[in-house]
Amino acid sequence: MKQPTRECGLIIDIPGDIDTTLPAFERISILLRENIINGNLRAGQPLAEIELAALCRASRNTLREALRFLHGEGLVNYHQNRGVFVREMDKRDVRDIYKARRHLEVLAITSTTVVSDFHLHRMLQHITLAEQAAQQEKWREVGTQSLRFHQAIVQMLVCRRFNDFFSVLLAQLRLLFASGADERAFQQPWIARDRAVWQLLADQRQSHACSALQEYLDFSEQQLMQRFNNVSTEME
């Protein structure tokens, strides 16, 4: 990961592993999606065209095309006479996202007879990084690494289309995190839960891992729905 660039309050990390053979607009859309996943771009944040194009090292035309692409993925919204904003999610999005997560993550576990050392190592790296971030009180990074852990689960399917689709789900899920203020209280419990799922996979106990994952997703969905309910109550 290269050093982040900053302009007018926006911060963008420039990954060094984006496929350079892709069209320019697609590379920029991936870059922006990744910066939503890592928490640099947050729900409701305005995306000023000139500043963002400079940060992404892209022309304004390329950026516009990338933003249209992200709009199709449900990650940004256009507001008349105001510009483009990172999308704010709602309770309907929670239900849809978790329905899709259950299909893909459970499929990844149940379709795997033996979990390879390669995939176990990749998952463990994200858990370790999350634990280190928690020790440093970097709760946004804890959230990022938890998302990457679940991305590594889906990668066991070895299907590029699933990977691409799940990366959009992760970005949408990250935007849901913005629905509450206490990041520490929200993120901390997932570290132990991620490790518990990993340990079951490492022991090749896929059926138990599947049950633990389903319980995990049920609890996670309930937590997010509760946060939205709390916000609604505070606004009344």
Side-chain angles (χ1 to χ4, degrees):
M1 181 74 71
K2 298 181 182 178
Q3 290 298 312
T5 56
R6 182 192 299 264
E7 186 103 14
C8 295
L10 288 171
I11 301 175
I12 295 292
D13 289 326
I14 310 293
D17 57 353
I18 295 179
D19 187 350
T20 57
T21 65
L22 295 172
F25 83 90
E26 194 169 347
R27 294 199 303 272
I28 299 304
S29 67
I30 292 172
L31 185 156
L32 294 175
R33 190 195 308 132
E34 289 295 303
N35 276 272
I36 291 173
I37 293 173
N38 68 25
N40 281 341
L41 299 177
R42 303 191 180 195
Q45 186 170 8
L47 300 175
E49 184 179 288
I50 295 175
E51 292 81 6
L52 192 58
L55 285 172
C56 295
R57 303 166 191 172
S59 71
R60 292 173 68 180
N61 285 337
T62 297
L63 176 65
R64 288 170 188 157
E65 194 171 357
L67 290 174
R68 285 194 292 269
F69 190 80
L70 291 179
H71 180 261
E73 293 183 338
L75 296 176
V76 303
N77 277 335
Y78 289 83
H79 295 281
Q80 189 172 8
N81 301 322
R82 294 178 59 206
V84 184
F85 293 76
V86 180
R87 185 179 166 201
E88 295 184 86
M89 315 298 278
D90 59 32
K91 290 198 290 187
R92 290 172 298 180
D93 295 307
V94 177
R95 297 188 186 96
D96 288 347
I97 289 168
Y98 275 83
K99 186 179 293 185
R101 287 190 71 184
R102 286 183 182 91
H103 281 293
L104 278 180
E105 294 189 55
V106 170
L107 176 65
I109 291 177
T110 57
S111 298
T112 305
T113 304
V114 177
V115 184
S116 71
D117 289 340
F118 171 81
H119 287 108
L120 288 170
H121 177 68
R122 176 182 281 175
M123 291 180 225
L124 184 59
Q125 281 183 312
H126 295 304
I127 294 171
T128 302
L129 288 171
E131 291 169 341
Q132 292 171 353
Q135 291 173 357
Q136 300 171 39
E137 298 286 325
K138 295 180 178 179
W139 299 106
R140 188 180 74 175
E141 179 63 17
V142 171
T144 300
Q145 294 305 327
S146 181
L147 292 174
R148 298 300 186 188
F149 168 76
H150 290 272
Q151 187 174 39
I153 290 177
V154 172
Q155 286 169 345
M156 289 195 297
L157 289 168
V158 194
C159 176
R160 180 175 177 177
R161 285 181 173 82
F162 282 154
N163 291 340
D164 291 345
F165 175 72
F166 198 70
S167 70
V168 176
L169 277 186
L170 288 186
Q172 293 177 345
L173 184 61
R174 187 55 187 252
L175 295 178
L176 289 171
F177 292 175
S179 61
D182 192 350
E183 195 73 3
R184 183 183 190 277
F186 181 74
Q187 297 293 354
Q188 190 171 37
W190 308 118
I191 301 173
R193 286 176 175 266
D194 286 340
R195 182 169 279 279
V197 172
W198 178 85
Q199 188 61 61
L200 290 168
L201 292 172
D203 293 340
Q204 305 299 331
R205 299 170 66 191
Q206 279 85 329
S207 61
H208 291 83
C210 185
S211 297
L213 177 63
Q214 289 174 320
E215 180 182 336
Y216 178 118
L217 293 174
D218 288 345
F219 182 73
S220 178
E221 182 177 9
Q222 291 167 10
Q223 290 289 94
L224 283 170
M225 293 295 283
Q226 184 60 49
R227 295 180 83 182
F228 273 105
N229 291 335
N230 291 342
V231 169
S232 298
T233 301
E234 291 170 2
M235 294 175 65
E236 291 177 354

